């Protein structure tokens, strides 16, 4: 991918300039917010001072009123009212009390025993129940001597005008007759003198009185009298919640409350700030769009590299999995590094397209349909063996074969199933997945012998004993007896008879299948190796090649006790040690044979049986594994890496490396280094959440 370096640098400079602009705008908004905060703090301080000053004046006024009430409570004539002259004198005293305090509307004395009122500036009311003061008796219930009680706000209609007052009730000590004093305070006058001048702007300031429970005692909006705070209707009517402060008026048990709408008070500053924020938002959006467009251009090389790394990793994964399925190797650091999501139950299915199916134009569409159908319930890897055969690796979340078969068949429609043969191996972990492949291949090769009415063969479902009437003598029991007694002549005669060319196809298939089933049972733990040899025989010679099949069975009899039970560890360790020491150098199989003390033919057989590969392939794989370590952990040149692990030329090293991994050495290094960086980044993240 060619990149214009100069244009690339210009784009970086432009993006950096764009990115540098928002901090200046943010700084401007921050400065305005600081100014706004300082303004609000100044206003709050002023309002707080005003609240305290007004509260002090009101508290002094209430103290004067209460002092008057206390003086009346100790006035002895108020407790002795026997003659009319005394009552008139008391009325005069009440009038003086009203005249002494401008906020007192009336002062009255109530005689509970004789049920009459002495009212200042009025006279005697002999029947309070039929007067505007009929409430007084209910308010006096339960009061103690010298107790002062503050009543709720009441409305008095005076000459068509509602006047709002509260009363301070005092119970006098009993001296012949029970009496009470009632000092009526004019709230309108209090409001006009103390609060009216503060409520200069209905939208900004609001001062009012509440009792200890938060109920409104007096408010400029008379409809709010008796309502409770903090759910003040005034606050709810405002678009912006006001700042609420209060000052305690201890004498009355009230609070002087102030509500200040800071938002309206600083509306011009808020407006300018909001305009700045809108402008900043607009500029930021423009910058973000331009940055995204520019970043996409800048990110192209990175994105290209990421895509290449992803493709390389996927190709490497597929190559590793395919090599494990075919058991080309079992030990590699890449298995742990790249195939960690495969460590669970896996199964191999060999999918064969019927030869009569016309696949000239529909090959890719049928493959896509198969992947789409299975992809609903399974994670799959599909490998193409030929135009007519695919190997599928399916990840399962369970080890129930019956459930798997049911789910797999349910994934296909009838039309697809008619064109396919499904051969299913066992369920294994990743490192033993070759066993599943061998079993699936055996199911494909041999399953049709005993059942011709189905196109689904599962290794675990193949019967060990063929449930069909014995065709002709000899029986399979005789064959097993000959093997266990090591009677070679009897075994050879039985094999020649059972697989005679004179047998019908049905008899031949039956006897062949029963021979294979018997040997699988006898080989026990080595059955996978035996199955692999059976598959190789059928692939190379054909199942109906009676001479080759008989020769195979007789050779199995001759070395049955030694074939899979001989201990090759001594020789294997010597060969492995020699390769580990000499792999950087050139050497031949004759050199290995001389070092180990065996013939080269025997070493070839040893590797074929022990590793299921040739010595050359084993050496190449070992060199590739060493090269992987150097590519991932060093900065050594590719050519030097190839030379260090024993390859004479870079081109040959690249060819062999790609053959074994699916990707080139350069792609592998990029992939490994990227993985190392990700691992280092994850290791730097604190586990306890601390910074």
């Amino acid at each position: 991918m060619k990149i214009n370096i100069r244009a690339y640098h210009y784009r970086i400079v432009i993006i950096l300039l764009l990115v540098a602009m928002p901090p200046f705008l943010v700084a401007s908004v921050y400065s305005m917010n600081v100014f706004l905060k300082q303004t609000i703090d100044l206003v709050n301080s002023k309002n707080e001072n005003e609240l305290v000053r007004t509260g002090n004046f009101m508290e002094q006024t209430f103290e004067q009123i209460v002092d008057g009430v206390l003086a009346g409570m100790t006035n002895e004539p108020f407790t002795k009212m026997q003659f009319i002259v005394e009552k008139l004198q008391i009325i005069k005293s009440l009038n003086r009390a009203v005249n002494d305090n401008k906020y007192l509307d009336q002062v009255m004395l109530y005689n509970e025993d004789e049920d009459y009122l002495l009212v200042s500036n009025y006279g005697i009311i002999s029947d309070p129940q039929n007067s505007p003061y009929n409430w007084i008796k209910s308010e006096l219930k339960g009061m103690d001597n010298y107790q002062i009680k503050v009543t709720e706000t009441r409305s008095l209609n005076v000459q068509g005008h509602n006047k709002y007052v509260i009363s301070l009730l005092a119970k006098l000590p009993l001296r012949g007759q029970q009496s009470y004093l009632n000092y009526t305070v004019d709230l309108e006058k209090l409001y006009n003198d103390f609060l009216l001048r503060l409520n200069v702007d209905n939208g900004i300031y609001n001062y009012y009185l509440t009792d200890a429970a938060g109920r409104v005692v007096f408010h400029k909006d008379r409809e709010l009298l008796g309502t409770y705070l903090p759910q003040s209707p005034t606050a709810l009517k405002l678009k912006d919640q006001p700042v609420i402060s209060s000052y305690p008026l201890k004498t009355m048990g009230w609070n002087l409350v102030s509500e200040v709408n800071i938002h309206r008070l600083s509306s011009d500053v808020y407006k300018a700030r909001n305009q700045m924020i809108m402008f900043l938002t607009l500029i930021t959006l423009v910058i973000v769009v331009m940055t995204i467009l520019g970043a996409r251009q800048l990110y192209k090389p990175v994105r290209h590299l990421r895509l290449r790394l992803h493709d390389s990793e996927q190709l490497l994964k597929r190559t590793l999995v395919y090599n494990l399925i075919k058991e080309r190797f079992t030990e590699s650091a890449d298995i742990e590094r790249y195939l960690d999501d495969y460590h669970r139950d896996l199964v191999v299915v060999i999918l064969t397209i019927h030869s009569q199916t016309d696949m000239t134009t529909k090959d890719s569409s049928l493959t896509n349909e198969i992947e789409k159908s299975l992809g609903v319930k399974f994670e799959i890897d599909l490998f193409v063996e030929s135009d007519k055969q695919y190997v599928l690796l399916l990840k399962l979340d369970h080890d129930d074969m019956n459930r798997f078969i049911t789910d797999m068949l349910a994934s296909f429609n009838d039309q697809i199933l008619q064109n396919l043969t499904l051969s299913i191996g066992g369920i294994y972990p990743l490192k033993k997945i070759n066993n599943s492949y061998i079993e699936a291949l055996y199911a494909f090769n041999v399953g049709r012998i005993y059942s011709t009415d189905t196109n689904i063969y599962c290794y675990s479902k193949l019967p060990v004993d063929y449930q069909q009437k014995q065709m002709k003598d000899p029986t399979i029991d005789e064959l097993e007896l000959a093997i266990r007694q090591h009677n070679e002549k009897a075994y050879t005669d039985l094999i020649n008879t059972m697989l005679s060319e004179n047998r019908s196809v049905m008899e031949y298939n039956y006897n062949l299948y029963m021979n294979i089933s018997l040997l699988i049972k006898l080989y026990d733990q080595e059955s996978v190796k035996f199955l692999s040899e059976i598959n190789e025989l059928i692939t190379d010679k054909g199942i109906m090649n009676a001479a080759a099949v008989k020769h195979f069975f007789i050779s199995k009899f001759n070395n049955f006790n030694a074939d899979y039970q001989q201990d090759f560890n001594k020789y294997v360790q010597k060969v492995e040690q020699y390769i580990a020491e000499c792999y950087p150098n050139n050497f031949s199989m004759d050199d290995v044979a001389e070092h180990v003390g065996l013939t080269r033919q025997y070493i070839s057989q040893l590797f074929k049986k022990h590793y299921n590969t040739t010595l050359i392939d084993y050496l190449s794989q070992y060199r590739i594994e060493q090269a992987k370590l150097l590519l991932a952990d060093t900065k050594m040149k590719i050519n030097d890496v190839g030379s260090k692990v024993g390859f004479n030329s870079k081109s040959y090293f690249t060819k062999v490396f790609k053959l074994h991994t699916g990707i080139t050495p350069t792609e592998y290094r990029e992939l490994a280094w990227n993985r190392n960086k990700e691992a280092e980044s994850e290791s730097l993240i604190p586990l306890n959440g601390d910074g």
Side-chain angles (χ1 to χ4, degrees), residues 251-456:
T251 302
M252 301 294 288
W254 293 350
N255 290 300
L256 173 60
V257 180
S258 69
E259 291 182 357
V260 183
N261 193 318
I262 299 298
H263 191 277
R264 289 194 179 185
L265 185 63
S266 308
S267 58
D268 292 339
V269 181
Y270 274 109
K271 185 177 179 180
R273 188 197 66 171
N274 291 339
Q275 289 175 348
M276 182 66 75
I277 291 176
M278 291 180 62
F279 177 71
L280 173 62
T281 303
L282 180 61
I283 293 297
T284 302
L285 288 175
V286 173
I287 291 174
V288 168
V289 172
M290 296 182 66
T291 303
I292 291 175
L293 294 176
R296 291 186 64 178
Q297 296 296 322
L298 298 178
Y299 185 68
K300 277 185 177 180
V302 179
R303 181 172 56 188
H304 175 75
L305 177 60
R306 283 187 173 275
L307 291 175
R308 192 173 70 179
L309 289 174
H310 176 75
D311 293 341
S312 297
E313 183 171 350
Q314 295 306 310
L315 186 57
L316 177 61
K317 279 186 175 183
R318 287 180 56 82
T319 304
L320 289 171
V321 171
Y322 189 69
N323 286 336
L324 285 172
I325 290 175
K326 292 303 185 74
E327 205 182 24
R328 291 177 178 169
F329 66 89
T330 57
E331 298 297 332
S332 173
D334 290 335
I335 297 175
E336 298 293 336
R337 185 181 297 118
Y338 296 103
L339 302 183
D340 54 344
D341 57 333
Y342 283 84
H343 285 252
R344 51 179 171 173
D345 298 317
L346 305 170
V347 62
V348 172
V349 177
I350 296 177
L351 188 150
T352 308
I353 302 171
H354 293 171
S355 57
Q356 64 270 24
T357 303
D358 182 12
M359 300 301 296
T360 55
T361 60
K362 299 181 180 180
D363 189 0
S364 61
S365 62
L366 182 58
T367 303
N368 293 336
E369 186 67 24
I370 291 170
E371 289 185 304
K372 181 179 178 181
S373 299
L374 289 175
V376 175
K377 293 187 177 181
F378 306 102
E379 294 182 52
I380 65 171
D381 289 315
L382 186 147
F383 303 95
V384 179
E385 291 281 271
S386 66
D387 293 340
K388 297 292 184 179
Q389 194 171 79
Y390 304 98
V391 174
L392 304 178
L393 177 66
L394 296 93
K395 302 177 184 178
L396 309 181
D397 56 3
H398 57 84
D399 57 358
D400 188 339
M401 179 60 72
N402 293 328
R403 177 181 167 188
F404 162 67
I405 294 174
T406 302
D407 291 342
M408 184 180 65
L409 295 181
S411 300
F412 294 117
N413 58 44
D414 294 338
Q415 183 178 1
I416 293 179
L417 280 176
Q418 290 175 0
N419 296 321
L420 302 176
T421 293
L422 302 175
S423 307
I424 306 169
I427 299 175
Y428 290 93
L430 180 66
K431 289 194 173 182
K432 293 186 177 181
I433 197 59
N434 174 256
N435 293 5
S436 184
Y437 171 73
I438 295 298
E439 292 173 357
L441 189 60
Y442 174 77
F444 170 73
N445 288 328
V446 181
R448 291 166 292 176
I449 295 177
Y450 80 93
S451 179
T452 58
D453 57 351
T454 182
N455 59 344
I456 301 168

Side-chain angles (χ1 to χ4, degrees), residues 12 30 47 77 139 175 184 244 254 399 411 445 499 551 562 572 644 666:
I12 293 178
Y30 175 76
N47 293 333
E139 290 283 355
R175 294 183 182 177
T184 302
I244 300 177
W254 293 350
D399 57 358
S411 300
N445 288 328
L499 301 178
H551 176 74
V572 168
K644 190 171 183 63
T666 302

Side-chain angles (χ1 to χ4, degrees), residues 20-251:
M21 288 180 63
F24 292 103
L25 297 174
V26 171
S28 299
V29 174
Y30 175 76
S31 299
M32 186 166 291
N33 275 334
V34 171
F35 172 73
L36 181 60
K37 184 178 184 301
Q38 292 174 346
T39 302
I40 292 173
D41 291 341
L42 182 62
V43 171
N44 286 339
S45 178
K46 175 181 174 297
N47 293 333
E48 187 69 24
N49 292 335
E50 191 67 36
L51 179 68
V52 173
R53 188 181 68 85
T54 304
N56 281 329
F57 287 146
M58 293 188 74
E59 181 72 0
Q60 292 174 12
T61 300
F62 289 135
E63 287 177 354
Q64 292 175 3
I65 295 173
V66 172
D67 288 343
V69 176
L70 294 174
M73 293 171 67
T74 58
N75 192 343
E76 189 171 344
F78 286 172
T79 62
K80 296 179 181 181
M81 296 177 293
Q82 296 179 1
F83 305 103
I84 190 66
V85 176
E86 294 174 343
K87 295 178 181 179
L88 293 176
Q89 290 297 327
I90 289 173
I91 291 176
K92 289 181 181 180
S93 298
L94 298 177
N95 290 336
R96 283 195 301 271
V98 172
N99 294 332
D100 290 342
N101 195 310
K102 63 182 289 188
Y103 300 110
L104 289 178
D105 182 65
Q106 283 182 331
V107 180
M108 60 188 73
L109 183 67
Y110 174 64
N111 188 301
E112 185 177 34
D113 295 331
E114 296 183 15
D115 194 24
Y116 67 84
L117 276 168
L118 300 181
V119 183
S120 63
N121 299 324
Y122 183 79
I124 301 174
I125 298 176
S126 58
D127 187 10
Q129 296 302 319
N130 294 317
S131 71
Y133 308 104
N134 54 5
W135 52 270
I136 192 167
K137 197 168 185 177
S138 61
E139 290 283 355
L140 299 174
K141 291 181 179 180
M143 289 186 63
D144 299 326
N145 291 337
Y146 296 110
Q147 178 185 352
I148 298 176
K149 177 181 179 181
V150 181
T151 65
E152 295 181 0
T153 304
R154 298 194 314 279
S155 174
L156 299 179
N157 193 313
V158 180
Q159 298 179 354
H161 173 70
N162 286 332
K163 180 186 294 186
Y164 294 91
V165 299
I166 59 100
S167 294
L168 275 72
L169 301 177
K171 184 177 181 181
L172 304 181
L174 182 62
R175 294 183 182 177
Q177 294 182 343
Q178 184 64 63
S179 300
Y180 297 86
L181 283 173
N182 176 15
Y183 283 68
T184 302
V185 180
D186 190 337
L187 295 177
E188 296 277 1
K189 289 182 180 179
L190 278 170
Y191 177 80
N192 292 335
D193 285 355
F194 292 101
L195 304 182
L196 182 62
R197 65 182 179 81
L198 298 178
N199 293 332
V200 292
D201 192 329
N202 292 336
I204 297 177
Y205 296 100
N206 184 23
Y207 286 79
Y208 53 92
L209 298 172
T210 66
D211 61 16
R215 185 165 55 180
V216 176
V217 174
F218 196 77
H219 198 285
K220 64 184 179 181
D221 186 355
R222 306 301 189 264
E223 294 180 359
L224 302 180
L225 298 179
T227 59
Y228 284 87
L229 291 177
Q231 295 180 345
S232 169
T234 301
L236 296 177
K237 288 179 182 177
L238 297 175
K239 293 182 179 179
D240 303 288
Q241 289 290 339
V243 177
I244 300 177
S245 303
S246 65
Y247 182 85
L249 303 173
K250 298 179 181 179
T251 302

